[in-house]
Amino acid sequence: MTDTVLRDANAPSGDKNLGDLPEWDLSDLYAGEDAPELQRDLDWLQTACAEFAADYEGKLDSLDAAGLLECLHRDEAISRTAGRIMSFAGLRYYQLTTDGGRAKFLSDCQEKVTNYTTPLVFFSLELNRLDEGALKAMYAENADLARYAPVIRRIRAMKPHQLSDELEKFLHDLGVVGDAWERLFDETIAGLTFTLDGEEMGIEGTLNLLTEQDRDQREAAARELARVFGENIRTFSRVHNTAAKEKEVIDRWRKMPTPQTGRHLSNDVEAEVVEALRDAVVAAYPKLSHRYYELKRKWLGLDRMQVWDRNAPLPMEETRIVGWEDARETVMNAYGAFDPRMADLAQPFFEKGWIDAGVKQGKAPGAFAHPTVTDVHPYVMLNYLGKPRDVMTLAHELGHGVHQVLAAEQGELLSSTPLTLAETASVFGEMLTFRRMLDGAKDQAERKVLLAGKVEDMINTVVRQIAFYDFECKLHAARREGELTPDDINALWMSVQAESLGPAFDFMEGYETFWAYIPHFVHSPFYVYAYAFGDGLVNALYAVYEENPEGFQEKYFEMLKAGGSKHHKDLLAPFGLDASDPAFWDKGLSIISDMIDELEAMEE
């Protein structure tokens, strides 16, 4: 019933005087925990769910087209109210995950919503029992109902994996228990403290030091991260073991052929398309990450790279802090140059309290855009510390926000975009911002720094995320054979690192624990390939834009407005693209390779 929070696995960070950083104004959802409107909505939800079950349980197959449409409209209203409640509780919690009151409020809301919506479990089960021919006849009869065909198709994709009505209700109720492990992870991460030069800091500020110019500072941060992760590794291992085992049990009962199948179904993408992407990226490691990091090793004047050099700035790169207003202007100018409508859609995020930007102790790490519900608006969370990469994170999350605003007109059930396509607008927003900055480069040296930064971001988005995906595949396969010790998980992590990063690197003792802080592994297993999917898709899209810009904006906006109402084949067809064609991924990866070619040519 609640929307997925879109998080970035590699969201960066910084410090200093950044200007007036915005904070969320959540009053568009509710004025506070004790707002009468919140209690009103909880009461309405309880009644609406009970009435829905009384009116429809056991009767879905007797409905005509108009009756099924009315049923879907009522389900949509329930989703909207439940989503509003959980969005408010969740966003308040992410602002300060270490606050016991906020954690309790989130948990209490989750329990109430779960209890109230348990009577609705029958709905998808009975929908899946409807005759396909009868459904198609109703679509032909009623165009308004036919709009919902993509939603019904995605629900019915789970038909081979659904359990008895009683077991489905049991799993629905048990979901609250599974969420507790996610909360344990969030609260543990947010509560970690790292000590460097006598100063205590949270995980965001410490990770940020890995992008500092001073190599000793980077090394100190990496070793401190390893020390603290090592001290907490049993907790992280327990979370991963439990979450993976819970998934294995549910997958086994549902007769899922692989641990990845559930993610592919929810992403509305075929397994062979994901495997084609994965294989294309792994095959490209030598011409992408291996080649780039060898270049970087030379620029840094090192015989061997260490893990704390991976995101180091280049020696010729000026250490600069980008104030909030400069970041805003950079992104808004890039959006506006592409299409003024895009800047207009992004403007309210800055002016109406839709962004929470500052780094605070206890705030959730990383960055995300949360669509909330279609009759409110999205909220963007950043941990903005003024690095040039933070500007790209702003461009990325605003891209999500613009996408979510445009898709909202589809309504609650059709607006939500599969994760593979949800990354399209965000990565496109980054690309627009990057291209504008590149066009404005004052000389070759600045162009080189910008190009190298973009290549690194793309390697983080494509190569690193596919390595994460491979790690998860190995982790879930190994967990099916039995409990994993921290050393077992460490070994799986290291098995993908050297392969993906290449021969330029040595790996310090302690790096084997760095799997511990990636939230996606716990919150959304196998989510990470969506980043690589989105990057490859956007590279191919941008190539189309450069080759033939005439009319591109209209087609692009129509794609974003479609939300989850179309399959990826239908969304990409107007651009002459097809993600099921293996050559599609090579087209996207060649953009990165071409940038590395240009960087190599600058050395000659």
Side-chain angles (χ1 to χ4, degrees), residues 64-346:
D64 60 9
L68 184 56
L69 179 63
E70 170 63 20
C71 175
L72 285 166
H73 283 159
R74 285 175 64 177
D75 179 64
E76 198 158 35
I78 287 168
S79 292
R80 193 161 51 243
T81 300
R84 189 186 195 109
I85 293 163
M86 290 313 304
S87 294
F88 177 69
L91 293 174
R92 284 189 77 254
Y93 170 72
Y94 287 126
Q95 281 184 300
L96 192 59
T97 62
T98 49
D99 180 75
R102 295 186 187 214
K104 173 180 164 48
F105 179 70
L106 173 62
S107 182
D108 288 349
C109 286
Q110 182 70 71
E111 286 190 23
K112 285 175 183 173
V113 169
T114 299
N115 290 339
Y116 298 166
T117 55
T118 295
L120 307 187
V121 171
F122 81 89
F123 180 54
S124 60
L125 305 180
E126 288 192 29
L127 205 55
N128 285 347
R129 295 187 194 118
L130 296 181
D131 177 72
E132 187 66 25
L135 268 177
K136 286 182 175 173
M138 285 196 275
Y139 295 156
E141 175 193 336
N142 189 313
D144 290 334
L145 178 64
R147 270 195 74 242
Y148 289 92
V151 177
I152 295 172
R153 177 181 63 79
R154 287 203 295 271
I155 291 171
R156 286 167 71 83
M158 278 296 289
K159 185 176 180 177
H161 309 292
Q162 77 181 32
L163 305 173
S164 69
D165 294 14
E166 193 172 37
L167 268 176
E168 290 289 353
K169 287 180 180 178
F170 172 73
L171 286 177
H172 180 84
D173 278 354
L174 205 63
V176 176
V177 180
D179 290 346
W181 290 97
E182 295 178 20
R183 279 183 44 211
L184 173 63
F185 172 84
D186 288 341
E187 289 165 17
T188 304
I189 282 287
L192 295 180
T193 55
F194 304 84
T195 306
L196 286 151
D197 294 329
E199 181 186 349
E200 280 196 355
M201 57 181 73
I203 191 167
E204 282 293 339
T206 311
L207 287 169
N208 173 66
L209 295 176
L210 297 177
T211 63
E212 286 293 328
Q213 192 70 259
D214 185 331
R215 192 173 191 232
D216 290 341
Q217 203 171 15
R218 296 198 305 270
E219 178 180 355
R223 295 196 183 280
E224 179 64 1
L225 286 162
R227 181 187 72 78
V228 176
F229 292 158
E231 287 179 353
N232 292 273
I233 205 67
R234 292 192 180 281
T235 300
F236 292 121
S237 176
R238 173 59 47 224
V239 168
H240 281 68
N241 266 289
T242 306
K245 182 61 182 176
E246 180 189 39
K247 186 178 188 324
E248 184 272 324
V249 171
I250 294 171
D251 283 353
R252 177 158 35 88
W253 278 80
R254 290 199 181 284
K255 296 182 171 57
M256 294 281 186
T258 72
Q260 300 85 356
T261 301
R263 177 60 60 202
H264 300 336
L265 285 170
S266 69
N267 281 346
D268 200 20
V269 66
E270 301 75 17
E272 53 270 24
V273 171
V274 177
E275 287 312 301
L277 162 65
R278 182 261 169 205
D279 292 346
V281 173
V282 171
Y285 284 170
K287 71 174 184 179
L288 300 181
S289 48
H290 297 188
R291 189 159 62 114
Y292 173 74
Y293 287 129
E294 180 57 26
L295 261 180
K296 185 165 186 175
R297 182 190 66 76
K298 291 176 184 171
W299 292 335
L300 294 174
L302 300 171
D303 293 328
R304 304 284 299 156
M305 292 260 281
Q306 299 290 340
V307 291
W308 55 80
D309 299 316
R310 184 173 63 83
N311 284 325
L314 303 186
M316 70 289 285
E317 192 172 336
E318 293 176 24
T319 300
R320 67 189 183 98
I321 297 297
V322 183
W324 178 251
E325 282 307 313
D326 287 344
R328 170 181 174 164
E329 186 178 348
T330 299
V331 175
M332 289 294 284
N333 285 346
Y335 276 26
F338 172 70
D339 193 300
R341 289 173 294 175
M342 200 151 156
D344 290 343
L345 288 162

Side-chain angles (χ1 to χ4, degrees), residues 241-529:
N241 266 289
T242 306
K245 182 61 182 176
E246 180 189 39
K247 186 178 188 324
E248 184 272 324
V249 171
I250 294 171
D251 283 353
R252 177 158 35 88
W253 278 80
R254 290 199 181 284
K255 296 182 171 57
M256 294 281 186
T258 72
Q260 300 85 356
T261 301
R263 177 60 60 202
H264 300 336
L265 285 170
S266 69
N267 281 346
D268 200 20
V269 66
E270 301 75 17
E272 53 270 24
V273 171
V274 177
E275 287 312 301
L277 162 65
R278 182 261 169 205
D279 292 346
V281 173
V282 171
Y285 284 170
K287 71 174 184 179
L288 300 181
S289 48
H290 297 188
R291 189 159 62 114
Y292 173 74
Y293 287 129
E294 180 57 26
L295 261 180
K296 185 165 186 175
R297 182 190 66 76
K298 291 176 184 171
W299 292 335
L300 294 174
L302 300 171
D303 293 328
R304 304 284 299 156
M305 292 260 281
Q306 299 290 340
V307 291
W308 55 80
D309 299 316
R310 184 173 63 83
N311 284 325
L314 303 186
M316 70 289 285
E317 192 172 336
E318 293 176 24
T319 300
R320 67 189 183 98
I321 297 297
V322 183
W324 178 251
E325 282 307 313
D326 287 344
R328 170 181 174 164
E329 186 178 348
T330 299
V331 175
M332 289 294 284
N333 285 346
Y335 276 26
F338 172 70
D339 193 300
R341 289 173 294 175
M342 200 151 156
D344 290 343
L345 288 162
Q347 191 77 21
F349 283 84
F350 294 98
E351 295 178 350
K352 295 188 175 180
W354 299 2
I355 299 177
D356 197 297
V359 175
K360 308 177 192 79
Q361 188 66 37
K363 181 178 173 180
F368 63 73
H370 193 313
T372 72
V373 285
T374 53
D375 58 352
V376 185
H377 55 76
Y379 283 93
V380 163
M381 193 190 86
L382 306 171
N383 276 276
Y384 188 85
L385 287 156
K387 287 291 175 74
R389 278 182 177 153
D390 288 343
V391 181
M392 288 301 175
T393 301
L394 172 61
H396 181 107
E397 300 305 341
L398 268 185
H400 279 310
V402 166
H403 192 175
Q404 290 159 1
V405 168
L406 286 169
E409 63 190 51
Q410 291 288 345
E412 208 61 43
L413 296 181
L414 282 161
S415 63
S416 184
T417 312
L419 295 177
T420 40
L421 298 168
E423 292 303 322
T424 306
S426 53
V427 179
F428 197 82
E430 279 189 75
M431 182 64 88
L432 291 174
T433 304
F434 163 71
R435 291 290 181 182
R436 185 166 181 86
M437 292 167 73
L438 193 66
D439 290 344
K442 59 182 183 289
D443 54 33
Q444 277 291 86
E446 187 175 341
R447 183 177 178 84
K448 180 177 178 177
V449 167
L450 286 167
L451 268 177
K454 185 59 178 171
V455 167
E456 287 200 16
D457 286 344
M458 291 166 124
I459 286 172
N460 281 338
T461 304
V462 178
V463 169
R464 190 159 165 78
Q465 302 301 330
I466 289 300
F468 284 176
Y469 176 66
D470 278 355
F471 164 71
E472 284 191 275
C473 291
K474 292 183 175 189
L475 175 78
H476 285 266
R479 183 63 184 90
R480 290 183 172 210
E481 303 303 314
E483 176 90 6
L484 301 174
T485 66
D487 286 344
D488 292 335
I489 304 177
N490 292 349
L492 294 175
W493 173 255
M494 293 308 295
S495 73
V496 301
Q497 292 301 307
E499 178 191 20
S500 62
L501 294 177
F505 280 92
D506 286 334
F507 298 94
M508 69 168 192
E509 186 177 342
Y511 182 67
E512 66 274 8
T513 63
F514 275 46
W515 54 269
Y517 77 94
I518 310 296
H520 299 68
F521 300 157
V522 178
H523 283 273
S524 310
F526 305 108
Y527 178 120
V528 288
Y529 73 73

Side-chain angles (χ1 to χ4, degrees), residues 573-585:
F575 302 95
L577 299 171
D578 181 359
S580 62
D581 178 0
F584 171 85
W585 300 114

